[in-house]
Amino acid sequence: MRQRWLFLVAGLALCALPPAVPSLTTPIAYMARETLIDPPPRAEGDRLVENTFYLTQGITVSQWLLPVAKGVTFRPGYVAVGVSVDAGGRLSGTPSRVGTFIAPVRLCTGHSCEEQLITLVVLGNVPWEPRELTFPGRIGVPLAGEIGINGGPQGVIPTFSVTDHAKLPAGVTIGPDGHVGGVPQAAGISEVPVRVCVAGNCAGVVVRLIIV
């Protein structure tokens, strides 16, 4: 009888103890979580130039985390479903789930590391096309045009980058917002290659400038 009571007391003591290890069914994640909140604004003191990145589901990622200071490395790891960061700060992979993901990344200088949150907004793959690619102009008269796009995810601002600046006519510029400006200095027809990106969904187009 005494032995039976000893077993009963031991069993109650084991039940009262907190679990020492996590359940094997608990998913091991990269501490990123899907959320519907708006991306946080960049705060003073952030160690990254940008902390919010817009991606497209199913489109391979090719972006970089840019530290404010020099000599910074990153602790490699996953930051969203299908997306990881390497030691150089390069985001790579293919997002497989739509949503807003907030994940911590570790920035290290020497042996000292600091954690900072980044936000990845993964949008659905919505087709888009350029709206205007031909711009006429006159020598000595300022240009005022916009490339623009039709389609794409709602509320996402496209970015534009000239991939061969030697093709731009003298005095003419194409900004990252798609604005075609400047004052043409010579007549001629120019075809300028431009890369357009909408939430990481990029394509190359040719902008034609006709100056008379």
Side-chain angles (χ1 to χ4, degrees):
M1 184 70 177
R2 182 177 181 183
Q3 186 178 10
R4 183 179 177 184
W5 275 104
L6 288 175
F7 279 118
L8 180 59
V9 171
L12 292 174
L14 287 174
C15 292
L17 289 174
V21 294
S23 169
L24 294 178
T25 60
T26 303
I28 299 175
Y30 37 83
M31 294 187 66
R33 59 187 183 275
E34 187 174 353
T35 176
L36 298 178
I37 66 171
D38 293 332
R42 184 176 183 273
E44 185 177 353
D46 280 354
R47 299 188 64 189
L48 295 174
V49 175
E50 294 291 339
N51 60 16
T52 302
F53 302 87
Y54 292 88
L55 314 175
T56 297
Q57 183 184 25
I59 301 295
T60 301
V61 178
S62 182
Q63 297 193 44
W64 295 82
L65 303 181
L66 300 177
V68 175
K70 295 182 179 180
V72 174
T73 60
F74 295 83
R75 188 73 56 84
Y78 283 94
V79 290
V81 180
V83 181
S84 62
V85 61
D86 65 14
R90 179 174 179 266
L91 294 173
S92 60
T94 303
S96 59
R97 184 186 300 170
V98 173
T100 300
F101 299 86
I102 299 178
V105 293
R106 293 188 67 81
L107 297 85
C108 300
T109 304
H111 297 291
S112 175
C113 296
E114 183 178 343
E115 190 175 274
Q116 180 170 330
L117 295 177
I118 64 171
T119 301
L120 294 97
V121 182
V122 181
L123 303 167
N125 194 339
V126 181
W128 62 268
E129 61 182 7
R131 185 171 60 240
E132 183 61 53
L133 293 176
T134 301
F135 300 92
R138 300 179 65 86
I139 300 174
V141 179
L143 286 170
E146 300 288 339
I147 298 176
I149 66 165
N150 289 325
Q154 185 176 4
V156 177
I157 300 175
T159 59
F160 305 82
S161 56
V162 177
T163 57
D164 187 352
H165 286 82
K167 298 292 183 65
L168 278 170
V172 177
T173 61
I174 297 178
D177 57 354
H179 177 73
V180 181
V183 179
Q185 299 177 9
I189 299 176
S190 302
E191 293 186 338
V192 184
V194 175
R195 183 173 174 81
V196 186
C197 292
V198 184
N201 187 1
C202 303
V205 300
V206 175
V207 175
R208 180 184 289 261
L209 300 162
I210 304 173
I211 309 301
V212 297

